[in-house]
Amino acid sequence: MARNTPRLPDSHPSGAKPPTLDPRHTPKHVAIVMDGNGRWAKARGLQRTEGHTRGEGALFDVIQGAIEIGVRYLSVFAFSTENWRRSPEEVRWLLGFNRRVIHDRRDSLNEMGVKVLWAGRAPKLWQSVIKELKAAEELSKDNDTLTFQFCMNYGGRAEIVDAVQRIAQDVEQGKLHPSRISEKTFRKYLYQPEIPDVDLFIRSSGELRLSNFQLWESAYAEFVFSNKLWPDFDRRDLWAAIENYAARERRYGSV
Ligand code: IPE
Ligand code: IPE
Ligand code: MG
């Protein structure tokens, strides 16, 4: 059965339209560290969790803005392998929150032609969260407007170590010869090998670090750091970062 034509994203409430860019200057893959929810809440005398709640709206605005401007792959950091160090209350709250977000948003993402993929480690992550992630993946698997990589219990080093373990297993079973392990082979063992390298890496909240996000994939990414806290971020900030990116010269070591 032919799929329905995807529904167009809603416009931003301000009526703002994406800048016109040469498609060659539009990043294919944008990765975002959605940071600053706790500070946003603290500045208003609210609980940290209120900041996360407000971040959901920012994320869905940014997803729609990514579709409008023609980004093909969007990866977002929702929960890191290091976030287990937070209080048990906040960890529990965040897992339940993300489970609810995936469940509630999957139909509307699917209608817009968004393909959802989960990247992260299964051990320790709640089965009920994994179940929602898998359901969203299954529902949206034939979509191709935008591939949305939801990084949940994700760490860049964990991803590399997990790849090494699977490579070692294949070598042990005689499926792979050590001399055949190239960068290209290695890549096939990452969580979502179909997603290309990161072109543009964005972090909100003014922190100037990677915090273990998309380490392998960002080897030649361009970086844009925004001082806005994530709940204040919207698609116009994404577009501004992309315009900044479009003006840069990427050289990959050549001249
Ligand atoms: C980002 O906001 C969300 C997660 C890391 C889950 P934070 O919760 O890190 O907010 P800040 O950095 O404390 O302001
Ligand atoms: C990175 O933000 C993880 C996510 C956004 C999910 P953190 O707030 O956890 O990172 P650090 O602790 O400032 O490095
Ligand atoms: Mg933070």
Side-chain angles (χ1 to χ4, degrees):
M1 200 180 72
R3 266 193 321 111
N4 295 330
T5 317
R7 173 170 73 73
L8 291 175
D10 298 326
S11 296
H12 187 263
S14 70
K17 293 279 170 269
T20 323
L21 288 177
D22 181 332
R24 283 172 307 171
H25 295 150
T26 307
K28 264 178 87 166
H29 182 186
V30 177
I32 308 182
V33 179
M34 308 182 288
D35 196 16
N37 298 346
R39 278 163 281 169
W40 184 93
K42 192 170 175 215
R44 288 160 182 78
L46 302 169
Q47 297 284 317
R48 291 179 55 81
T49 51
E50 193 56 38
H52 301 313
T53 301
R54 289 293 291 258
E56 179 184 353
L59 173 58
F60 283 83
D61 193 70
V62 164
I63 292 173
Q64 297 186 81
I67 296 173
E68 284 188 295
I69 201 169
V71 167
R72 300 306 310 272
Y73 301 88
L74 178 69
S75 300
V76 300
F77 211 0
F79 188 89
S80 76
T81 46
E82 287 71 40
N83 286 147
W84 297 98
R85 294 179 187 145
R86 297 189 178 194
S87 72
E89 296 73 37
E90 184 169 349
V91 167
R92 223 178 300 122
W93 193 95
L94 280 169
L95 296 179
F97 168 72
N98 281 297
R99 179 178 60 196
R100 204 265 308 142
V101 168
I102 301 151
H103 180 88
D104 287 0
R105 299 285 188 160
R106 71 172 181 225
D107 286 335
S108 108
L109 290 174
N110 184 45
E111 283 160 23
M112 291 189 288
V114 175
K115 176 176 178 171
V116 179
L117 291 175
W118 166 46
R121 251 188 188 167
K124 237 162 120 175
L125 187 57
W126 295 353
Q127 274 307 320
S128 61
V129 176
I130 296 176
K131 212 176 118 207
E132 288 299 343
L133 290 160
K134 298 269 182 201
E137 285 186 337
E138 178 58 29
L139 175 72
S140 65
K141 66 179 190 303
D142 296 324
N143 293 340
D144 65 359
T145 302
L146 171 76
T147 297
F148 176 59
Q149 177 168 236
F150 198 71
C151 299
M152 185 79 211
N153 199 23
Y154 174 91
R157 287 186 170 182
E159 179 176 32
I160 291 167
V161 168
D162 289 354
V164 170
Q165 279 202 11
R166 289 175 41 235
I167 287 171
Q169 280 161 9
D170 280 358
V171 168
E172 193 178 36
Q173 291 168 17
K175 292 184 200 156
L176 179 67
H177 194 272
S179 67
R180 304 257 319 168
I181 305 171
S182 61
E183 290 184 15
K184 211 172 142 200
T185 321
F186 190 87
R187 238 199 155 289
K188 294 192 182 126
Y189 289 82
L190 296 174
Y191 293 138
Q192 296 296 348
E194 72 171 75
I195 301 185
D197 281 352
V198 173
D199 298 304
L200 172 59
F201 185 115
I202 300 172
R203 182 173 187 145
S204 61
S205 89
E207 303 297 351
L208 306 180
R209 56 179 171 264
L210 306 186
S211 297
N212 201 14
F213 193 45
Q214 295 280 287
L215 290 187
W216 177 278
E217 298 85 345
S218 297
Y220 253 105
E222 296 291 332
F223 289 82
V224 171
F225 295 99
S226 162
N227 286 326
K228 277 207 182 171
L229 302 174
W230 180 251
D232 291 327
F233 205 90
D234 66 43
R235 73 184 79 183
R236 295 169 298 182
D237 303 297
L238 170 73
W239 295 340
I242 291 175
E243 282 189 290
N244 182 330
Y245 166 92
R248 297 186 190 183
E249 188 194 0
R250 298 181 79 189
R251 296 160 62 139
Y252 301 100
S254 87
V255 288

